[in-house]
Coordinates of all heavy atoms in Angstrom, one line a residue:
M1394 N -7.1 -5.6 33.4 CA -8.3 -5.4 32.4 C -7.8 -5.9 31.0 O -6.6 -5.7 30.6 CB -8.7 -4.0 32.3 CG -9.8 -3.6 31.4 SD -11.2 -4.8 31.2 CE -12.3 -4.0 32.4
A1395 N -8.6 -6.7 30.4 CA -8.3 -7.2 29.1 C -8.2 -6.1 28.0 O -8.8 -5.1 28.2 CB -9.4 -8.2 28.6
R1396 N -7.4 -6.4 27.1 CA -7.2 -5.4 26.0 C -7.6 -6.1 24.7 O -7.5 -7.3 24.5 CB -5.7 -5.1 25.9 CG -5.2 -4.2 27.0 CD -5.5 -2.8 26.6 NE -5.6 -2.0 27.9 CZ -6.1 -0.7 28.0 NH1 -6.4 -0.1 26.9 NH2 -6.2 -0.1 29.1
C1397 N -8.2 -5.3 23.8 CA -8.6 -5.8 22.5 C -7.5 -6.4 21.7 O -6.5 -5.7 21.6 CB -9.3 -4.7 21.7 SG -9.7 -5.1 20.1
P1398 N -7.7 -7.7 21.2 CA -6.6 -8.2 20.5 C -6.3 -7.6 19.1 O -5.4 -7.8 18.4 CB -7.0 -9.7 20.3 CG -8.5 -9.7 20.4 CD -8.8 -8.5 21.4
D1399 N -7.4 -6.8 18.7 CA -7.3 -6.1 17.4 C -6.7 -4.8 17.5 O -5.7 -4.4 16.8 CB -8.7 -6.0 16.8 CG -8.7 -5.5 15.3 OD1 -7.7 -5.5 14.7 OD2 -9.8 -5.2 14.8
C1400 N -7.3 -3.9 18.3 CA -6.9 -2.5 18.3 C -6.2 -2.1 19.6 O -5.6 -1.0 19.8 CB -8.1 -1.5 18.0 SG -9.2 -1.5 19.4
G1401 N -6.3 -3.0 20.6 CA -5.6 -2.7 21.9 C -6.5 -1.8 22.8 O -6.0 -1.3 23.9
G1402 N -7.8 -1.6 22.4 CA -8.6 -0.7 23.2 C -9.2 -1.5 24.4 O -9.0 -2.6 24.6
E1403 N -9.9 -0.7 25.2 CA -10.4 -1.3 26.5 C -11.6 -2.3 26.1 O -12.4 -2.0 25.3 CB -11.0 -0.3 27.3 CG -11.4 -0.7 28.7 CD -12.0 0.4 29.6 OE1 -11.7 1.5 29.4 OE2 -12.7 0.1 30.5
V1404 N -11.6 -3.5 26.8 CA -12.6 -4.4 26.6 C -13.5 -4.6 27.8 O -13.0 -4.7 28.9 CB -11.9 -5.8 26.2 CG1 -12.9 -6.9 26.1 CG2 -11.2 -5.7 24.9
K1405 N -14.8 -4.6 27.6 CA -15.7 -4.7 28.7 C -16.5 -6.0 28.6 O -16.8 -6.5 27.5 CB -16.6 -3.5 28.7 CG -17.3 -3.3 30.0 CD -18.3 -2.1 29.8 CE -19.1 -1.9 31.0 NZ -20.3 -0.9 30.8
Y1406 N -16.8 -6.6 29.7 CA -17.5 -7.9 29.7 C -19.0 -7.6 29.6 O -19.6 -7.0 30.6 CB -17.1 -8.8 30.9 CG -17.9 -10.1 30.9 CD1 -17.6 -11.0 29.9 CD2 -18.8 -10.5 31.9 CE1 -18.2 -12.2 29.8 CE2 -19.3 -11.7 31.8 CZ -19.1 -12.6 30.7 OH -19.7 -13.9 30.7
K1407 N -19.6 -8.0 28.5 CA -21.2 -7.9 28.4 C -21.6 -9.3 28.1 O -21.6 -9.7 26.9 CB -21.5 -7.0 27.3 CG -21.0 -5.5 27.4 CD -21.9 -4.6 28.2 CE -23.1 -4.3 27.4 NZ -24.0 -3.4 28.1
A1408 N -22.0 -10.0 29.1 CA -22.4 -11.4 29.0 C -23.2 -11.7 27.7 O -24.2 -11.0 27.5 CB -23.1 -11.8 30.2
P1409 N -22.9 -12.7 27.0 CA -21.8 -13.6 27.2 C -20.5 -13.2 26.5 O -19.6 -14.0 26.1 CB -22.3 -15.0 26.6 CG -23.1 -14.5 25.5 CD -23.7 -13.1 25.8
F1410 N -20.4 -12.0 26.0 CA -19.3 -11.5 25.2 C -18.4 -10.6 25.9 O -18.8 -9.8 26.8 CB -19.8 -10.8 23.9 CG -20.6 -11.7 23.1 CD1 -22.0 -11.6 23.0 CD2 -20.0 -12.6 22.2 CE1 -22.8 -12.4 22.2 CE2 -20.7 -13.5 21.4 CZ -22.2 -13.4 21.4
M1411 N -17.2 -10.5 25.4 CA -16.2 -9.4 25.7 C -16.3 -8.5 24.6 O -16.2 -8.9 23.4 CB -14.8 -9.9 25.8 CG -14.6 -11.1 26.8 SD -14.7 -10.5 28.5 CE -13.3 -9.6 28.7
V1412 N -16.6 -7.3 24.8 CA -16.8 -6.2 23.7 C -15.8 -5.1 23.8 O -15.6 -4.5 25.0 CB -18.2 -5.7 23.8 CG1 -18.4 -4.7 22.7 CG2 -19.3 -6.8 23.8
C1413 N -15.1 -4.9 22.7 CA -14.2 -3.8 22.7 C -14.9 -2.5 22.6 O -15.8 -2.3 21.7 CB -13.2 -3.9 21.5 SG -12.1 -2.5 21.3
L1414 N -14.6 -1.6 23.6 CA -15.3 -0.3 23.5 C -14.8 0.7 22.4 O -15.4 1.7 22.1 CB -15.2 0.4 24.9 CG -15.7 -0.3 26.1 CD1 -15.4 0.4 27.4 CD2 -17.2 -0.7 26.0
D1415 N -13.7 0.3 21.9 CA -13.1 1.2 20.9 C -13.6 0.8 19.4 O -14.3 1.5 18.7 CB -11.6 1.1 21.0 CG -10.9 2.1 20.1 OD1 -11.6 3.1 19.7 OD2 -9.7 2.1 20.0
C1416 N -13.3 -0.5 19.0 CA -13.6 -0.9 17.6 C -14.9 -1.7 17.6 O -15.4 -2.0 16.5 CB -12.5 -1.6 17.0 SG -12.2 -3.3 17.6
G1417 N -15.4 -2.2 18.7 CA -16.6 -2.9 18.7 C -16.4 -4.5 18.5 O -17.3 -5.2 18.4
L1418 N -15.2 -4.9 18.5 CA -14.9 -6.3 18.3 C -15.5 -7.1 19.5 O -15.4 -6.7 20.6 CB -13.4 -6.6 18.3 CG -12.9 -8.0 18.2 CD1 -13.3 -8.6 16.9 CD2 -11.5 -8.2 18.4
S1419 N -16.2 -8.2 19.2 CA -16.9 -8.9 20.2 C -16.4 -10.4 20.1 O -16.3 -11.0 19.1 CB -18.4 -8.9 20.1 OG -18.8 -7.6 19.9
F1420 N -16.1 -11.0 21.3 CA -15.7 -12.4 21.4 C -16.1 -12.9 22.7 O -16.2 -12.2 23.7 CB -14.2 -12.6 21.0 CG -13.3 -11.7 21.9 CD1 -12.8 -12.2 23.1 CD2 -13.1 -10.4 21.5 CE1 -12.0 -11.4 23.9 CE2 -12.3 -9.6 22.3 CZ -11.7 -10.1 23.5
K1421 N -16.2 -14.3 22.8 CA -16.5 -14.9 24.1 C -15.3 -15.0 24.9 O -14.2 -15.1 24.5 CB -17.2 -16.2 23.8 CG -18.6 -16.2 23.4 CD -19.3 -17.5 23.2 CE -20.6 -17.4 22.8 NZ -21.2 -18.6 22.4
R1422 N -15.5 -15.0 26.3 CA -14.5 -15.3 27.2 C -13.8 -16.5 26.9 O -14.3 -17.6 26.6 CB -15.1 -15.4 28.6 CG -15.0 -14.0 29.4 CD -15.6 -14.3 30.7 NE -15.0 -13.4 31.7 CZ -15.5 -13.2 32.9 NH1 -16.5 -13.9 33.3 NH2 -14.9 -12.3 33.7
G1423 N -12.4 -16.5 27.0 CA -11.6 -17.7 26.7 C -11.3 -17.9 25.3 O -10.5 -18.7 24.9
E1424 N -11.8 -17.0 24.4 CA -11.6 -17.1 23.0 C -10.5 -16.0 22.6 O -10.2 -15.9 21.4 CB -12.9 -16.8 22.1 CG -13.8 -18.0 22.2 CD -14.9 -17.9 21.2 OE1 -15.2 -16.7 20.8 OE2 -15.6 -18.9 21.0
Y1425 N -9.9 -15.4 23.5 CA -8.9 -14.3 23.2 C -7.9 -14.8 22.3 O -7.7 -14.1 21.2 CB -8.3 -13.9 24.5 CG -7.5 -12.6 24.5 CD1 -8.0 -11.4 24.5 CD2 -6.1 -12.7 24.3 CE1 -7.2 -10.2 24.4 CE2 -5.3 -11.6 24.2 CZ -5.9 -10.3 24.3 OH -5.1 -9.3 24.2
D1426 N -7.2 -15.8 22.5 CA -6.1 -16.3 21.7 C -6.6 -16.7 20.3 O -6.0 -16.5 19.3 CB -5.4 -17.6 22.3 CG -4.5 -17.0 23.5 OD1 -4.2 -15.9 23.5 OD2 -4.3 -17.9 24.3
K1427 N -7.8 -17.4 20.3 CA -8.4 -17.7 19.0 C -8.8 -16.5 18.2 O -8.5 -16.5 16.9 CB -9.7 -18.6 19.3 CG -10.1 -19.5 18.2 CD -11.3 -20.3 18.7 CE -12.6 -20.0 17.9 NZ -13.7 -20.7 18.4
V1428 N -9.3 -15.5 18.8 CA -9.6 -14.3 18.1 C -8.4 -13.7 17.5 O -8.4 -13.2 16.4 CB -10.3 -13.3 19.0 CG1 -10.5 -11.9 18.4 CG2 -11.8 -13.8 19.4
K1429 N -7.3 -13.6 18.3 CA -6.1 -13.0 17.8 C -5.6 -13.7 16.5 O -5.2 -13.1 15.6 CB -5.0 -13.1 18.9 CG -4.9 -11.9 19.8 CD -3.6 -11.8 20.5 CE -3.5 -12.9 21.5 NZ -2.4 -12.7 22.4
S1430 N -5.6 -15.1 16.5 CA -5.2 -15.8 15.3 C -6.2 -15.6 14.1 O -5.8 -15.6 13.0 CB -4.9 -17.2 15.6 OG -6.0 -17.8 16.2
T1431 N -7.5 -15.5 14.5 CA -8.5 -15.3 13.4 C -8.3 -14.0 12.8 O -8.3 -13.9 11.5 CB -9.9 -15.4 14.0 OG1 -10.1 -16.6 14.7 CG2 -11.0 -15.2 13.0
I1432 N -8.0 -13.0 13.6 CA -7.8 -11.7 12.9 C -6.6 -11.7 12.0 O -6.6 -11.1 11.0 CB -7.6 -10.6 14.1 CG1 -8.9 -10.3 14.7 CG2 -7.0 -9.3 13.5 CD1 -8.8 -9.6 16.0
R1433 N -5.6 -12.4 12.5 CA -4.3 -12.5 11.7 C -4.7 -13.1 10.3 O -4.2 -12.7 9.2 CB -3.2 -13.2 12.4 CG -2.0 -12.3 12.6 CD -1.0 -13.1 13.4 NE -1.2 -12.9 14.9 CZ -1.1 -13.8 15.8 NH1 -0.9 -15.1 15.4 NH2 -1.3 -13.6 17.0
S1434 N -5.4 -14.3 10.3 CA -5.7 -15.0 9.1 C -6.7 -14.2 8.2 O -6.6 -14.2 7.0 CB -6.2 -16.4 9.4 OG -7.4 -16.4 10.1
E1435 N -7.6 -13.4 8.8 CA -8.5 -12.7 8.1 C -7.7 -11.6 7.2 O -8.1 -11.3 6.1 CB -9.5 -11.9 9.0 CG -10.7 -12.8 9.4 CD -11.7 -12.0 10.3 OE1 -11.5 -10.9 10.5 OE2 -12.6 -12.7 10.8
F1436 N -6.8 -11.0 7.8 CA -5.9 -10.0 7.2 C -5.2 -10.7 6.0 O -5.0 -10.1 4.9 CB -5.0 -9.4 8.1 CG -5.7 -8.2 8.9 CD1 -5.6 -8.1 10.3 CD2 -6.3 -7.2 8.3 CE1 -6.2 -7.1 11.0 CE2 -6.9 -6.2 9.0 CZ -6.8 -6.1 10.3
K1437 N -4.8 -11.9 6.2 CA -4.1 -12.7 5.2 C -5.0 -12.9 4.0 O -4.6 -12.7 2.9 CB -3.6 -13.9 5.8 CG -2.1 -14.1 5.5 CD -1.6 -15.5 6.1 CE -1.2 -15.3 7.6 NZ -1.0 -16.6 8.3
D1438 N -6.3 -13.3 4.2 CA -7.2 -13.5 3.2 C -7.6 -12.3 2.4 O -8.0 -12.4 1.2 CB -8.5 -14.1 3.8 CG -8.3 -15.5 4.4 OD1 -7.3 -16.2 4.0 OD2 -9.2 -15.9 5.2
E1439 N -7.5 -11.2 3.0 CA -7.9 -9.9 2.3 C -6.8 -9.1 1.8 O -6.8 -7.9 1.7 CB -8.8 -9.1 3.3 CG -10.0 -9.9 3.6 CD -10.9 -9.1 4.6 OE1 -10.6 -7.8 4.8 OE2 -11.8 -9.7 5.1
M1440 N -5.6 -9.8 1.5 CA -4.5 -9.1 1.1 C -4.6 -8.4 -0.3 O -3.7 -7.6 -0.7 CB -3.2 -10.0 1.1 CG -2.4 -9.8 2.3 SD -1.2 -11.1 2.6 CE -0.2 -11.0 1.2
G1441 N -5.7 -8.7 -1.0 CA -5.8 -8.1 -2.3 C -6.2 -6.6 -2.1 O -6.1 -5.8 -3.1
E1442 N -6.7 -6.2 -1.0 CA -7.1 -4.9 -0.7 C -5.9 -4.2 0.0 O -5.1 -4.8 0.6 CB -8.3 -4.8 0.2 CG -9.6 -5.5 -0.4 CD -10.7 -5.7 0.6 OE1 -10.4 -5.7 1.8 OE2 -11.8 -5.6 0.1
S1443 N -6.0 -2.9 0.0 CA -5.0 -2.1 0.7 C -5.3 -2.3 2.2 O -6.4 -2.6 2.6 CB -5.1 -0.7 0.4 OG -6.3 -0.1 0.9
D1444 N -4.3 -2.1 3.1 CA -4.5 -2.3 4.5 C -5.5 -1.4 5.0 O -6.3 -1.7 5.8 CB -3.2 -2.0 5.2 CG -2.2 -3.1 4.9 OD1 -2.6 -4.2 4.5 OD2 -1.0 -3.0 5.3
E1445 N -5.5 -0.2 4.5 CA -6.5 0.9 5.0 C -7.9 0.4 4.6 O -8.8 0.6 5.5 CB -6.1 2.2 4.3 CG -6.7 3.4 5.0 CD -6.5 4.7 4.2 OE1 -5.5 4.9 3.6 OE2 -7.4 5.5 4.2
E1446 N -8.1 0.0 3.5 CA -9.4 -0.4 3.0 C -9.9 -1.6 3.8 O -11.1 -1.6 4.3 CB -9.4 -0.8 1.5 CG -10.8 -1.3 0.9 CD -11.8 -0.1 0.9 OE1 -11.4 1.1 1.1 OE2 -12.9 -0.5 0.8
T1447 N -9.1 -2.6 4.0 CA -9.5 -3.8 4.9 C -9.8 -3.3 6.2 O -10.8 -3.8 6.8 CB -8.2 -4.7 4.9 OG1 -7.9 -5.1 3.5 CG2 -8.6 -6.0 5.7
D1448 N -9.0 -2.5 6.8 CA -9.2 -2.0 8.1 C -10.5 -1.3 8.3 O -11.3 -1.5 9.3 CB -8.0 -1.0 8.5 CG -7.9 -0.9 10.0 OD1 -7.8 -1.8 10.7 OD2 -7.9 0.3 10.4
R1449 N -10.9 -0.5 7.3 CA -12.1 0.3 7.3 C -13.3 -0.6 7.3 O -14.3 -0.5 8.1 CB -12.1 1.3 6.2 CG -13.0 2.5 6.5 CD -12.7 3.6 5.5 NE -12.5 3.2 4.2 CZ -11.5 3.7 3.4 NH1 -10.7 4.6 3.8 NH2 -11.4 3.3 2.2
K1450 N -13.3 -1.6 6.4 CA -14.4 -2.6 6.3 C -14.5 -3.4 7.5 O -15.6 -3.6 8.0 CB -14.0 -3.5 5.1 CG -14.4 -3.0 3.7 CD -14.4 -4.1 2.8 CE -14.5 -3.6 1.3 NZ -14.1 -4.6 0.3
E1451 N -13.4 -3.8 8.1 CA -13.5 -4.7 9.3 C -14.1 -3.9 10.4 O -15.0 -4.4 11.1 CB -12.1 -5.1 9.7 CG -11.6 -6.4 9.1 CD -12.5 -7.5 9.5 OE1 -12.5 -7.9 10.7 OE2 -13.2 -8.0 8.6
R1452 N -13.7 -2.7 10.6 CA -14.2 -1.8 11.7 C -15.7 -1.6 11.5 O -16.5 -1.6 12.5 CB -13.4 -0.6 11.9 CG -12.0 -0.8 12.2 CD -11.3 0.2 13.0 NE -9.9 -0.1 13.1 CZ -9.4 -1.1 13.9 NH1 -10.2 -1.9 14.6 NH2 -8.1 -1.3 13.9
R1453 N -16.1 -1.3 10.3 CA -17.5 -1.0 10.0 C -18.4 -2.2 10.4 O -19.4 -2.2 11.0 CB -17.7 -0.7 8.6 CG -19.0 0.1 8.3 CD -19.2 0.4 6.9 NE -18.1 1.2 6.2 CZ -17.6 0.9 5.1 NH1 -18.0 0.0 4.3 NH2 -16.6 1.7 4.7
R1454 N -17.9 -3.4 10.0 CA -18.7 -4.7 10.3 C -18.8 -4.9 11.8 O -19.8 -5.2 12.3 CB -17.9 -5.8 9.6 CG -18.6 -7.2 9.8 CD -18.0 -8.2 8.9 NE -16.7 -8.6 9.4 CZ -16.4 -9.4 10.4 NH1 -17.4 -9.9 11.0 NH2 -15.2 -9.6 10.7
K1455 N -17.7 -4.7 12.5 CA -17.6 -4.9 13.9 C -18.5 -3.9 14.6 O -19.1 -4.2 15.6 CB -16.2 -4.9 14.4 CG -15.4 -6.1 14.1 CD -13.9 -5.9 14.3 CE -13.1 -7.1 13.8 NZ -11.7 -6.8 13.6
R1456 N -18.4 -2.7 14.1 CA -19.2 -1.6 14.8 C -20.6 -1.9 14.7 O -21.4 -1.7 15.6 CB -18.8 -0.3 14.2 CG -19.5 0.9 14.7 CD -19.1 1.2 16.1 NE -17.8 1.8 16.1 CZ -17.1 2.1 17.2 NH1 -17.6 1.8 18.4 NH2 -15.9 2.5 17.2
A1457 N -21.1 -2.4 13.5 CA -22.5 -2.7 13.4 C -22.9 -3.7 14.4 O -24.0 -3.6 14.9 CB -22.8 -3.2 11.9
Y1458 N -22.2 -4.7 14.5 CA -22.5 -5.8 15.5 C -22.5 -5.2 17.0 O -23.4 -5.5 17.8 CB -21.6 -6.9 15.3 CG -21.8 -8.1 16.3 CD1 -23.0 -8.8 16.1 CD2 -21.0 -8.3 17.4 CE1 -23.3 -9.8 17.0 CE2 -21.3 -9.3 18.3 CZ -22.5 -10.1 18.1 OH -22.8 -11.1 18.9
H1459 N -21.5 -4.4 17.2 CA -21.4 -3.8 18.5 C -22.6 -3.0 18.8 O -23.2 -3.1 19.9 CB -20.1 -2.9 18.5 CG -19.9 -2.1 19.8 ND1 -20.1 -0.8 19.8 CD2 -19.5 -2.5 21.0 CE1 -19.8 -0.4 21.1 NE2 -19.5 -1.4 21.8
D1460 N -23.1 -2.1 17.8 CA -24.3 -1.3 18.0 C -25.5 -2.2 18.3 O -26.3 -1.9 19.2 CB -24.5 -0.4 16.8 CG -23.5 0.6 16.6 OD1 -22.7 0.8 17.7 OD2 -23.4 1.2 15.6
W1461 N -25.6 -3.3 17.5 CA -26.8 -4.2 17.7 C -26.7 -4.8 19.1 O -27.8 -4.9 19.8 CB -26.7 -5.3 16.6 CG -27.6 -6.3 16.8 CD1 -28.9 -6.3 16.5 CD2 -27.3 -7.6 17.5 NE1 -29.5 -7.6 16.9 CE2 -28.6 -8.4 17.5 CE3 -26.2 -8.2 18.1 CZ2 -28.7 -9.7 18.0 CZ3 -26.3 -9.5 18.6 CH2 -27.5 -10.2 18.6
L1462 N -25.6 -5.1 19.5 CA -25.5 -5.8 20.8 C -25.8 -4.8 22.0 O -26.6 -5.2 22.9 CB -24.0 -6.3 21.0 CG -23.8 -7.1 22.2 CD1 -24.3 -8.5 22.1 CD2 -22.2 -7.3 22.5
M1463 N -25.4 -3.6 21.9 CA -25.7 -2.6 22.9 C -27.2 -2.2 22.8 O -27.8 -2.1 23.9 CB -24.9 -1.3 22.7 CG -23.4 -1.6 22.8 SD -23.0 -2.2 24.5 CE -21.3 -2.5 24.3
K1464 N -27.7 -2.2 21.7 CA -29.2 -1.8 21.5 C -30.1 -2.8 22.3 O -31.0 -2.6 22.9 CB -29.6 -1.7 20.1 CG -30.5 -0.5 19.8 CD -30.7 -0.4 18.2 CE -29.5 0.2 17.6 NZ -29.6 0.1 16.1
K1465 N -29.7 -4.1 22.0 CA -30.5 -5.2 22.5 C -30.5 -5.2 24.0 O -31.5 -5.6 24.6 CB -29.8 -6.5 22.1 CG -30.7 -7.7 21.9 CD -30.0 -8.9 21.4 CE -29.5 -9.7 22.5 NZ -28.9 -11.0 22.1
E1466 N -29.5 -4.7 24.6 CA -29.4 -4.7 26.1 C -29.9 -3.5 26.8 O -30.0 -3.4 28.0 CB -27.9 -5.0 26.5 CG -27.5 -6.4 26.1 CD -26.2 -6.8 26.7 OE1 -25.6 -5.9 27.3 OE2 -25.6 -7.9 26.4
D1467 N -30.2 -2.5 26.0 CA -30.7 -1.3 26.6 C -32.2 -1.4 27.0 O -32.9 -2.1 26.4 CB -30.6 -0.1 25.6 CG -29.1 0.4 25.7 OD1 -28.4 0.1 26.6 OD2 -28.8 1.2 24.8
Ligands
ZN1099 ZN1 -10.8 -3.1 19.5

């Protein structure tokens, strides 16, 4: 089973996306490595903020998308 490149949580396939059940990160199949490096560079871009603040914002954004995705399929 795939693991979230961000938080290491369980990832479920919800066509056409892989969705992390923990933080809500969504990405397409085969983009795993790309997502990993994107996350790394995103953190680099936001170094003006504290790690905690960056983390909180990121998770809120991903969670909103995750909720939208799940609602759409219900
Ligand atoms: Zn995750």
Side-chain angles (χ1 to χ4, degrees):
M1394 179 42 94
R1396 288 277 153 190
C1397 175
D1399 187 14
C1400 72
E1403 191 184 334
V1404 173
K1405 200 178 169 191
Y1406 185 61
K1407 301 270 291 181
F1410 297 104
M1411 303 291 290
V1412 180
C1413 174
L1414 300 180
D1415 192 11
C1416 72
L1418 177 68
S1419 309
F1420 54 93
K1421 282 183 180 169
R1422 264 181 150 170
E1424 286 188 341
Y1425 188 85
D1426 288 334
K1427 204 174 113 189
V1428 169
K1429 267 199 292 189
S1430 53
T1431 301
I1432 287 167
R1433 240 176 274 135
S1434 60
E1435 275 180 7
F1436 277 128
K1437 232 178 274 171
D1438 289 344
E1439 296 178 11
M1440 261 166 59
E1442 298 171 332
S1443 71
D1444 287 349
E1445 199 188 321
E1446 179 67 16
T1447 302
D1448 199 51
R1449 202 160 44 221
K1450 275 190 194 168
E1451 271 300 292
R1452 297 211 187 288
R1453 200 182 301 137
R1454 184 171 66 80
K1455 285 166 188 165
R1456 178 71 68 188
Y1458 181 69
H1459 177 252
D1460 290 345
W1461 170 81
L1462 188 71
M1463 293 304 172
K1464 217 175 288 168
K1465 208 178 90 174
E1466 292 188 359
D1467 278 346

